[in-house]
Amino acid sequence: MPPDMQNGQKYLYKNRPVSYQKMGAGPPLLILHGWGSSGQVMVPLAKQLATLRTCYILDLPGFGNSPEPEQAWAVDDYADLIQQFIADKKLDKADLLVHSFGGRIALKLCARPAGQQLIGKVLITGGAGMKPKRSATYYLKKYTAKILKAPFVILPSRLREKALTKLRQTSLWKALGSSDYSKLSGVMRQTFVKTVTEYLEPCLPNIPHDVLLLWGRNDQAAPLYQAERMEEGIQNAALVVIDHAGHYAFLDRPTHFTSITKAFFEE
């Protein structure tokens, strides 16, 4: 392990540990991963940036080595965590590099007055948070699910929850849900619903930061039109598209991605 890399550190937030790694030297850079992932996927990129920045790679609560929150969180709760982390660590004007779900947190945080004081530059890759275009298949699944649930509404609450639990275990119900949702249970399932159903277009006009949107042209999870919507809504945003790359552009084209990232943070 390099001498400037510190693994397995813990930050206590509301009496629950948040795991993070720290490496590098220079101004602070917080790195946030996507849904269903962990900070570990961001470590190779962080190592490349360690000559420019002191990188803090977090495992968000419910992912990696950070336990689930005690109750379902919304995007604001994750933004509260990052805001408090920056304040407690005295990381004045920290930069952000965020992927996918981390993009939701960045948009929410940067639109706050406190975020405008605490955050410097922002790089978003494959960021979520824009309202997606829905296909006919999506609406078919949505209304089929509503029809399946309708008979249980009249049952007493105890029986209703028992019946709905059995319904959710059927292959038909699982086929209607997203792959992310079907893998979840309990607090994280509720967290998933709360976060993915909040669309963050209203945040965009309130973000004054220099924002680089670094996108894989073939991103299917957060399609390019969503990046274009962010670029249009954020005053100081610029969009750079990487060919032959998808949702994990930093893994698909690591050298190309890293060179653009370094140029952005070196300015």
Side-chain angles (χ1 to χ4, degrees):
M1 183 177 70
D4 59 347
M5 179 173 176
Q6 302 172 30
N7 274 323
Q9 299 199 66
K10 300 292 182 183
Y11 166 67
L12 201 62
Y13 180 72
K14 296 187 175 180
N15 296 317
R16 296 180 75 81
V18 177
S19 180
Y20 71 96
Q21 298 180 55
K22 178 183 175 184
M23 67 180 73
L29 173 66
L30 267 67
I31 300 179
L32 306 181
H33 61 82
W35 186 274
S37 184
S38 73
Q40 196 60 35
V41 76
M42 311 299 290
V43 167
L45 176 59
K47 287 180 178 178
Q48 297 300 313
L49 301 175
T51 57
L52 298 177
R53 294 287 189 272
T54 301
C55 300
Y56 296 82
I57 310 105
L58 278 69
D59 282 347
L60 296 168
F63 305 96
N65 293 318
S66 295
E68 297 177 358
E70 291 184 338
Q71 59 188 20
W73 274 19
V75 180
D76 271 310
D77 296 300
Y78 283 98
D80 289 345
L81 161 65
I82 302 305
Q83 182 175 321
Q84 195 63 48
F85 182 89
I86 294 171
D88 287 347
K89 297 294 182 182
K90 296 181 171 58
L91 307 180
D92 187 42
K93 282 290 182 182
D95 294 330
L96 294 181
L97 191 163
V98 297
H99 175 237
S100 194
F101 177 67
R104 293 182 186 273
I105 301 168
L107 294 177
K108 180 71 76 163
L109 179 57
C110 288
R112 296 176 174 180
Q116 294 171 17
Q117 297 298 318
L118 295 171
I119 304 299
K121 289 185 172 185
V122 182
L123 189 155
I124 301 174
T125 181
M130 301 295 98
K131 188 173 184 179
K133 298 174 182 176
R134 298 300 194 182
S135 66
T137 301
Y138 166 83
Y139 288 107
L140 177 61
K141 287 183 176 182
K142 178 180 178 179
Y143 291 112
T144 300
K146 285 188 174 183
I147 290 169
L148 290 173
K149 288 171 64 175
F152 303 112
V153 173
I154 61 173
L155 295 174
S157 59
R158 183 177 61 84
L159 295 177
R160 181 170 64 248
E161 287 306 312
K162 186 175 181 180
L164 287 173
T165 297
K166 288 186 176 181
L167 173 63
R168 294 183 184 113
Q169 293 170 350
T170 65
S171 57
L172 174 58
W173 184 266
K174 290 177 180 178
L176 295 174
S178 73
S179 57
D180 283 332
Y181 180 84
S182 63
K183 295 173 186 174
L184 300 170
S185 60
V187 166
M188 293 312 292
R189 174 173 281 186
Q190 297 169 41
T191 296
F192 179 78
V193 172
K194 290 183 77 168
T195 55
V196 303
T197 54
E198 182 179 3
Y199 303 125
L200 302 178
E201 281 87 351
C203 292
L204 302 183
N206 299 320
I207 297 175
H209 306 73
D210 288 335
V211 178
L212 175 62
L213 305 165
L214 189 49
W215 235 258
R217 187 175 297 279
N218 303 322
D219 193 331
Q220 298 299 312
L224 189 56
Y225 73 82
Q226 298 194 16
E228 292 168 345
R229 195 178 301 165
M230 289 185 196
E231 182 186 29
E232 182 179 353
I234 299 173
Q235 181 179 1
N236 297 315
L239 172 62
V240 176
V241 180
I242 299 179
D243 291 327
H244 312 297
H247 191 51
Y248 288 83
F250 54 91
L251 298 180
D252 296 335
R253 300 283 307 278
T255 302
H256 191 49
F257 189 98
T258 300
S259 65
I260 296 171
T261 300
K262 284 184 173 180
F264 176 64
F265 286 121
E266 281 176 340
E267 291 180 357

